[in-house]
Amino acid sequence: MLDRLNALYPVRYTALALCVLGALLSLFTLVGFGIGGWTFLICTGLSVLGFWDMRQTSKSVLRNYPVIGHLRYTLEKIRPEMRQYFLESDTEATPFSRSQRSLAYARAKGQTDKRPFGTQLNVKQNGFEWLNHSLAPSHLLSHDFRITVGGPDCTQPYDASVFNISAMSFGALSAHAVQALNAGAQRGGFAHDTGEGSISVHHRMHGGDLIWEIGSGYFGCRNDDGSFNAEKFRTNALDAQVKMIELKLSQGAKPGHGGVLPGSKVTPEIAAARGVPLGLDCISPSSHSAFSTPVELMEFIAQLRELSGGKPTGFKLCIGHPWEWFAIVKAMQSTGITPDFIVVDGSEGGTGAAPLEFTDHVGAPLQEGLRLVHNTLVGVNLRDRIKIGCAGKVISAFDIARALALGADWCNSARGFMFSLGCIQAQTCHTGHCPTGVTTQDPVRQQALVVPDKATRVHLFHQETLKALQELVQAAGLQHPCEITAHHIVRRINENDVRLLSTLLPAMAPGALLQGAQGQTKVFEVYWPQARAEHFSPV
């Protein structure tokens, strides 16, 4: 019947027809009886909207379905919220599951993080992992686990927590968010990575330890043409609040991709922090101008360390072409210059905005990147000189334990600490319309984030996560998280078979690469001989 009716009259115009009819009837009642004024205004407005829909040229749905077609766009807009609150299960990860977010919220608020009735995870599912426990658990007096970062050329080593705030720039985050993160870091004695947006007044307000990240835009230490300025770097790096220097080579969420902050978003505060002109586009190139070869990279690391007064200096990267990473290691060997630390960023890491193809399909995930970096340094006998940090969806104590088992010395978390600030994973970071004031420069929206309250939550999230890590370490019968290895983690590979990570992820014998890569895993056997310290290209 509907098809027959549609042949005589386009049913899709019914909503517009009803609006027009309603406007006419309400006009009649308004003139004849003096009632129906609001109805007339509403129906007339919808009628005008419907005729405008039919004439506009950008949205096909509205041209064919005037008025009612807006319902489709409304539902599309609220779909993420509807799915998050009503449809998704506690264990669905998009990118963080409700269970993961709830854990972060509970710990940040100082509420119980205990769960009743057993695990919600499918322990028979391929990929399920667990930590082997001991029948002789240890007893530790403190959860304040620390490692010392600083190689033989470092004169000011840093005693770092094993759990720190990952790189997030002022500009990507609001002023209130930066202040709360740094205040929380100051209370807990852990480090706050500035991100490549440099050090703003908001980073300095509460005096928390800073890791100053230097990106390809050299913000905070640049000349007018965007090149590196040594004196400006020295001035910032010698600040007592800056504990480590991190040179960003690539970012997990968008490796090999530069960025542009439009001039309209370059506020006076952002311009002052980054050392860029007010109101002009702020460009982060996809590559560095201060070096172009692995050897020059090592020399630049040495220069930064010297200018900073001997503070721990290293670099962050997401692993891409393995021969480029191998070339960097060979440059360490040929120059004798080693970074004090390397941060491995997994491709599952977050970002304020990135092309979908980059977030989904560019760069190595944390497991593969971290294992390659660790094994390579072991293979050339440099692992004891260089500490390894990592980042990439680290939010729970088990996430930390697993990353340490793969070869990391400490972990950074960005989105975990965003959750502690009140982030609800609305995924509107790139719009400036963050509903909780975390990722916006709108001064009104920022007022939603009350700094003293959220600083307490940042501190609590860090403390409670480390307390959970302490319990895991004790259960395994160990004395420090650094003792966790791939022998302690078990992974299910099918319904009836499990393997230790140490058997699934081959280890490198100390010094093995000094005799050549023959007989090693394929990535070393193929690409190690092709790498040269003099250039990033393979032979």
Side-chain angles (χ1 to χ4, degrees), residues 91 117-131 490-499:
T91 56
F117 230 65
T119 182
Q120 295 184 20
L121 302 179
N122 180 4
V123 299
K124 287 290 187 178
Q125 184 176 14
N126 291 356
F128 177 76
E129 294 179 337
W130 66 90
L131 175 75
V490 186
R491 177 187 292 179
R492 180 173 298 282
I493 59 174
N494 60 53
E495 186 178 2
N496 300 308
D497 202 2
V498 300
R499 293 282 190 277

Side-chain angles (χ1 to χ4, degrees), residues 261-278:
L261 183 65
S264 59
K265 295 186 178 182
V266 180
T267 65
E269 287 181 321
I270 291 176
R274 301 192 178 197
V276 298
L278 177 65

